[in-house]
Amino acid sequence: MASEKEVSNGVEWRIKIADGSSERLVPESNPASRLLLGLKNFVVGLALKVWKFLQKAWDLGVDDPRKVIHCLKVGTALAVVSIFYYMRPLYKGFGENAIWAIMTVVVVFENCVGATLSKSLNRVCGTFLAGFLALGVHFVASQSGQRFEPIIVGASVFLLASAATFSRFIPSVKARFDYGAMIFILTFSLVSVSGYRENELFKMAHHRISTIIIGTSLCNIISMLICPIWAGQELYTLTTRNMDKLATSLDGCVEEYFKDSGSVVESNKECHKKFQGYKCVLISKAAEESMANFARWEPGHGPFNFRHPWQQYLKIGSALRSCAYCLEALNGCISSENQAPEYIKKHLNNSSLKVSSNSSSVIRELAVTIKTMKKSSNIHSLVGEMNFAAQELQNDLKSLPKLFNPPSMPEADTPENKKIEPISRTMVKIPLMEFVPLVTLASLLNEIATRIKGIVDAVEELENLAAFKHASNDKC
Amino acid sequence: MASEKEVSNGVEWRIKIADGSSERLVPESNPASRLLLGLKNFVVGLALKVWKFLQKAWDLGVDDPRKVIHCLKVGTALAVVSIFYYMRPLYKGFGENAIWAIMTVVVVFENCVGATLSKSLNRVCGTFLAGFLALGVHFVASQSGQRFEPIIVGASVFLLASAATFSRFIPSVKARFDYGAMIFILTFSLVSVSGYRENELFKMAHHRISTIIIGTSLCNIISMLICPIWAGQELYTLTTRNMDKLATSLDGCVEEYFKDSGSVVESNKECHKKFQGYKCVLISKAAEESMANFARWEPGHGPFNFRHPWQQYLKIGSALRSCAYCLEALNGCISSENQAPEYIKKHLNNSSLKVSSNSSSVIRELAVTIKTMKKSSNIHSLVGEMNFAAQELQNDLKSLPKLFNPPSMPEADTPENKKIEPISRTMVKIPLMEFVPLVTLASLLNEIATRIKGIVDAVEELENLAAFKHASNDKC
């Protein structure tokens, strides 16, 4: 029976021998079953992979439904253009060039409004510019006779394509006009080469531009009207969220360090999971830059004007990162093996926690300032408190050496002539190594407080640039 | 005469009054001159901007001539396709579809081979897949009667476009198949919509794919044969260069700190300029990731096989960054106002410099390991030296308190009964605050040494994955 079961698994074959026992057939002896096994494993593995992939995709959709909405928007835009094409008005008017409307929709429709707008403008301007230039070159070439025509056209394609490609390496061009430069090369080549064939150049250029304008308009209308995702808003949310994360991490890490040294390892692991928000700050540079680039194309939306100083958010982001670097180093020092003994930790417990909580209060207040777009009335007092706490921590550090009389040797009150012994012992044995983690912690907390002032400055600059109003409860 | 001169400047007008003196005509009174002035300023400003832009572009080209070569390569590829188109073989064979070859060249030709290959494969596969699917949908639609045909085509466009757009949000797809997904949507829409119009679908699909294959082949041949830029090679160079930069920064910063405390501010500024190499490490994450993504598409080149473990370079990069974070915090603490007095600094001078120079030796040795692709024979002894130096630094730290007898009070050798005074004074006055910067420095140096072990591990993993050979002078 057992052998039958195994057979029914389809994986293993056994043969019954005369004495009633069964012998396993080694898989190598049966290529068919090996193939079957391999195939089954392959199918199961593939199914599992597909299932995991679908699960991941589902989680992604549940996590951010706006992504799903974006996909439906793209589908809608394409369906509309297709129907338009099908209903013949586009086809009648523009003939084969109508496919450019579809192409435009596919290429230009991006997740956020700013990206779509930037690509649209790049596409339209690139096409226009290249189209005009190509027509000019075509005119010059056609005037210079049969022999020179192809040479002029070829040389102009080579030169302009090289120049435009080079311009894409220049950072300022790359950030804003990368796509436009590509479209410029594309259109110039297409028009000047195909212009050599057909004489309906003007008509073609007109159709091309019209279809592109139809496509980009459709994209921008759908992108802005149906659940728009503004790059500016995203940048703003990312910045404030990063501030909150940094504040939480700062609070959390220092708290965890002082909470329970009995289970240092466990609590640190916990801390690592719970308070790694600052790592998001460390890696968000690229996202911030691309969003700031897109945001500058966007019209005013929500509380933001057209010329909202988006670049300033990059400065704030960079100030946040410089804090996060210190926090990362702090985290490393905290979780290192060299742990300070409990009685020293207790001495600095309150002041360290005060510095971290005051620092995170400043960051949170700055986040609120940005969120409400109102000048904070008490940011200066909070900064003052933070500085005061930092000073207090320094004082507590200064008084640390005093610790080494009472706790370790309760006989401190013995008569004068006996005092020599414990003190000189303290001198020699002064456990500086036990200070080290705490001194480092204090020093890094101090550095973090200093860098937070950099965030304060950056946010204040934003306040001025974007003309934030005073909060209503402000007495200034 | 003076007034004439001013007039000849074209900026200011003066009028002569009877008494011989001249009176300035305020600019507001003359709109024409204001316009002229404005125009002149505008033209001069524009010319200056263009000049600066050109200068920047020139510097960029001089800085990295490979960029110029890339531009010439793109120009050549386009010129070749144009000539091909002009010489009629492409045009005769594929008619209007020949423009797809030009379009392919423009869109697919990227700076490095891996990116070009990845885009080419994405383009070909996306076109193939979408073409077949569209033909299938077209077949089903054409079987289901005049009424359902447009509905089926429209719905399939909507569904597949939405799904493919969504797939572009999934990180693993985005990293490798983003462009393919876009091309899939594009081709599917074009084929299924235009398929409704023309019955030469198969011919069109065939031409499209042929022209795309011609275009991509040309791009890849030119990209690989003429001064190829391999993403893998770039990633490799970036990694080793970052290692060298990190080592130089580490060495430099610590050296500068101990060099000359008289001109701390100046020397720190100097240090800031000279040893900011580690900042390149901080910001190279995005570049590394994109290069690793491209490198995996590249065939073997130079010392690298096709399946070289490029992903491991990302791990090394992340280990380097974790060191750089500490170095950044260290740099902050070093340049803070709280400076340790000279005699304390001197005490830790040697051991700190030893830690930093040993640490940077380890990093440099790892860089050499990667550069030569040979297992280092003495990395373990270097790590041992680094650990030993770190231990020594700890010991020097431990012995720091002893400093506070001799230098400040030379009367340390007085008789027993007088000893109480200086010692107890030391106890109270122990200048812990003067330690703080040095303790922090030591602690961060220690942390850096710990993190360097992370780099060592990552590089050793690379050695095993890429099967580095032992160095010839290795005795193992």
Side-chain angles (χ1 to χ4, degrees), chain B residues 35-91:
Chain B
L35 194 72
L36 217 69
L37 179 67
L39 206 70
K40 188 186 154 195
N41 283 347
F42 175 76
V43 170
V44 167
L46 196 73
L48 216 75
K49 262 193 180 173
V50 170
W51 177 245
K52 267 188 188 164
F53 180 82
L54 288 178
Q55 230 171 4
K56 221 193 276 172
W58 181 263
D59 290 345
L60 200 74
V62 170
D63 209 46
D64 189 0
R66 296 185 309 168
K67 284 178 180 161
V68 180
I69 295 173
H70 168 68
C71 300
L72 299 180
K73 277 157 73 179
V74 174
T76 310
L78 267 176
V80 168
V81 172
S82 302
I83 289 170
F84 207 52
Y85 189 61
Y86 169 71
M87 301 301 257
R88 299 227 170 199
L90 248 185
Y91 193 64

Side-chain angles (χ1 to χ4, degrees), chain A residues 79-355:
Chain A
V80 167
V81 172
S82 303
I83 289 169
F84 207 53
Y85 188 59
Y86 170 73
M87 301 301 255
R88 300 229 169 197
L90 249 184
Y91 192 64
K92 260 187 192 158
F94 306 117
E96 266 306 291
N97 282 319
I99 58 161
W100 291 97
I102 293 177
M103 199 177 283
T104 303
V105 170
V106 174
V107 175
V108 152
F109 211 133
E110 291 280 331
N111 192 22
C112 57
V113 178
T116 309
L117 260 173
S118 123
K119 274 197 151 180
S120 304
L121 288 173
N122 266 302
R123 192 173 177 97
V124 171
C125 295
T127 306
F128 245 111
L129 202 66
F132 272 108
L133 256 175
L135 288 179
V137 168
H138 188 251
F139 177 76
V140 170
S142 65
Q143 298 293 313
S144 51
Q146 194 79 24
R147 261 181 63 201
F148 291 106
E149 205 171 329
I151 298 174
I152 290 179
V153 169
S156 68
V157 166
F158 177 79
L159 281 178
L160 279 168
S162 299
T165 305
F166 187 74
S167 79
R168 294 173 73 187
F169 283 118
I170 299 166
S172 57
V173 175
K174 184 160 188 65
R176 278 184 273 176
F177 306 115
D178 188 55
Y179 183 66
M182 199 182 80
I183 289 297
F184 176 86
I185 305 172
L186 182 61
T187 309
F188 186 80
S189 314
L190 288 184
V191 174
S192 49
V193 169
S194 65
Y196 196 67
R197 297 282 153 216
E198 42 178 312
N199 289 318
E200 290 177 315
L201 251 187
F202 270 101
K203 208 176 136 196
M204 189 187 97
H206 166 234
H207 284 173
R208 191 70 50 88
I209 290 203
S210 309
T211 44
I212 287 176
I213 288 177
I214 289 174
T216 51
S217 308
L218 183 71
C219 287
N220 283 300
I221 289 169
I222 290 185
S223 157
M224 278 192 226
L225 293 188
I226 306 177
C227 304
I229 299 174
W230 303 95
Q233 178 82 41
E234 296 290 294
L235 176 60
Y236 162 92
T237 314
L238 179 70
T239 305
T240 53
R241 204 189 297 142
N242 273 349
M243 285 175 143
D244 287 336
K245 275 179 184 167
L246 190 64
T248 310
S249 298
L250 180 57
D251 260 355
C253 289
V254 179
E255 245 168 48
E256 280 290 325
Y257 179 67
F258 284 106
K259 209 168 80 181
D260 185 1
S261 70
S263 55
V264 166
V265 182
E266 284 74 27
S267 67
N268 269 330
K269 266 186 195 155
E270 185 72 11
C271 151
H272 267 277
K273 261 188 240 151
K274 235 162 124 185
F275 306 118
Q276 288 198 330
Y278 72 90
K279 294 210 168 161
C280 297
V281 183
L282 289 177
I283 58 167
S284 56
K285 183 178 159 69
E288 281 172 12
E289 276 173 2
S290 80
M291 278 192 249
N293 263 331
F294 293 140
R296 69 163 86 198
W297 299 90
E298 289 175 350
H301 56 276
F304 313 111
N305 300 326
F306 171 56
R307 287 209 153 278
H308 193 76
W310 296 115
Q311 294 298 313
Q312 188 60 28
Y313 287 81
L314 297 185
K315 283 191 195 162
I316 296 174
S318 127
L320 285 175
R321 259 190 301 286
S322 89
C323 263
Y325 294 148
C326 276
L327 192 54
E328 154 77 26
L330 177 70
N331 222 355
C333 296
I334 280 179
S335 47
S336 81
E337 293 149 26
N338 259 336
Q339 285 304 326
E342 206 53 18
Y343 65 98
I344 307 186
K345 271 169 101 173
K346 262 193 192 129
H347 184 70
L348 290 181
N349 189 346
N350 285 337
S351 48
S352 298
L353 284 176
K354 216 169 162 188
V355 174

Side-chain angles (χ1 to χ4, degrees), chain A residues 6 12 18 46 136 148 159 182 212 257 299 316 331 344 362 370 376 383 391 395 402 441 461:
Chain A
E6 276 156 346
E12 196 174 298
L46 195 74
F148 291 106
L159 281 178
M182 199 182 80
I212 287 176
Y257 179 67
I316 296 174
N331 222 355
I344 307 186
V362 171
I370 299 182
S376 162
V383 170
Q391 195 53 51
N395 293 341
K402 283 181 196 157
L441 177 92
E461 209 176 317

Side-chain angles (χ1 to χ4, degrees), chain B residues 178-448:
Chain B
D178 189 55
Y179 184 66
M182 200 183 79
I183 289 298
F184 176 87
I185 305 172
L186 182 61
T187 308
F188 186 81
S189 313
L190 287 184
V191 174
S192 50
V193 169
S194 65
Y196 196 68
R197 296 283 154 216
E198 40 180 313
N199 289 320
E200 292 177 314
L201 251 186
F202 270 100
K203 207 177 138 196
M204 186 186 100
H206 165 234
H207 284 173
R208 191 70 50 87
I209 289 200
S210 310
T211 45
I212 286 177
I213 287 177
I214 290 175
T216 51
S217 307
L218 182 71
C219 287
N220 282 301
I221 289 169
I222 291 186
S223 156
M224 279 191 226
L225 293 189
I226 307 177
C227 303
I229 299 174
W230 302 95
Q233 179 81 42
E234 296 290 294
L235 176 59
Y236 163 92
T237 314
L238 179 69
T239 305
T240 53
R241 204 188 299 143
N242 273 351
M243 285 176 144
D244 287 336
K245 277 181 184 166
L246 191 64
T248 310
S249 299
L250 179 57
D251 260 355
C253 289
V254 178
E255 246 167 48
E256 280 289 323
Y257 178 68
F258 284 107
K259 208 168 81 181
D260 185 2
S261 70
S263 55
V264 165
V265 181
E266 285 74 24
S267 67
N268 269 331
K269 264 186 196 158
E270 185 72 9
C271 151
H272 267 278
K273 261 187 242 152
K274 233 162 124 187
F275 306 117
Q276 287 198 330
Y278 72 90
K279 294 209 168 160
C280 297
V281 182
L282 288 177
I283 57 166
S284 56
K285 184 180 158 69
E288 282 172 11
E289 276 174 2
S290 81
M291 280 192 246
N293 264 330
F294 293 141
R296 70 163 85 199
W297 298 90
E298 290 174 348
H301 57 277
F304 313 109
N305 300 325
F306 170 55
R307 286 210 154 277
H308 194 76
W310 297 114
Q311 294 299 313
Q312 189 60 28
Y313 287 80
L314 297 186
K315 282 190 196 164
I316 297 174
S318 127
L320 285 176
R321 260 190 300 287
S322 90
C323 264
Y325 295 148
C326 276
L327 192 55
E328 151 78 28
L330 177 70
N331 223 353
C333 295
I334 280 179
S335 47
S336 80
E337 294 147 28
N338 258 336
Q339 285 303 325
E342 207 52 19
Y343 66 100
I344 307 187
K345 271 171 102 173
K346 262 194 190 129
H347 184 70
L348 290 181
N349 189 346
N350 285 337
S351 47
S352 297
L353 283 176
K354 215 170 163 189
V355 174
S356 73
S357 72
N358 282 340
S359 301
S360 60
S361 297
V362 171
I363 301 178
R364 284 206 184 91
E365 180 69 22
L366 292 174
V368 169
T369 302
I370 299 184
K371 273 178 202 160
T372 58
M373 301 189 82
K374 277 182 184 151
K375 280 185 186 178
S376 161
S377 53
N378 54 352
I379 184 72
H380 290 294
S381 70
L382 283 174
V383 170
E385 274 171 36
M386 178 181 77
N387 289 342
F388 183 72
Q391 195 54 50
E392 231 173 288
L393 179 59
Q394 304 255 18
N395 293 340
D396 277 2
L397 260 189
K398 269 182 204 161
S399 67
L400 248 190
K402 285 181 194 155
L403 264 184
F404 293 92
N405 284 344
S408 47
M409 29 219 83
E411 71 273 44
D413 277 342
T414 44
E416 269 274 296
N417 59 339
K418 284 224 169 185
K419 223 175 185 173
I420 300 168
E421 186 46 18
I423 291 177
S424 71
R425 196 140 54 97
T426 313
M427 268 315 291
V428 179
K429 283 194 181 173
I430 210 171
L432 192 69
M433 292 319 288
E434 300 191 339
F435 285 128
V436 169
L438 274 170
V439 170
T440 310
L441 177 91
S443 185
L444 284 172
L445 276 179
N446 204 33
E447 180 68 22
I448 287 175

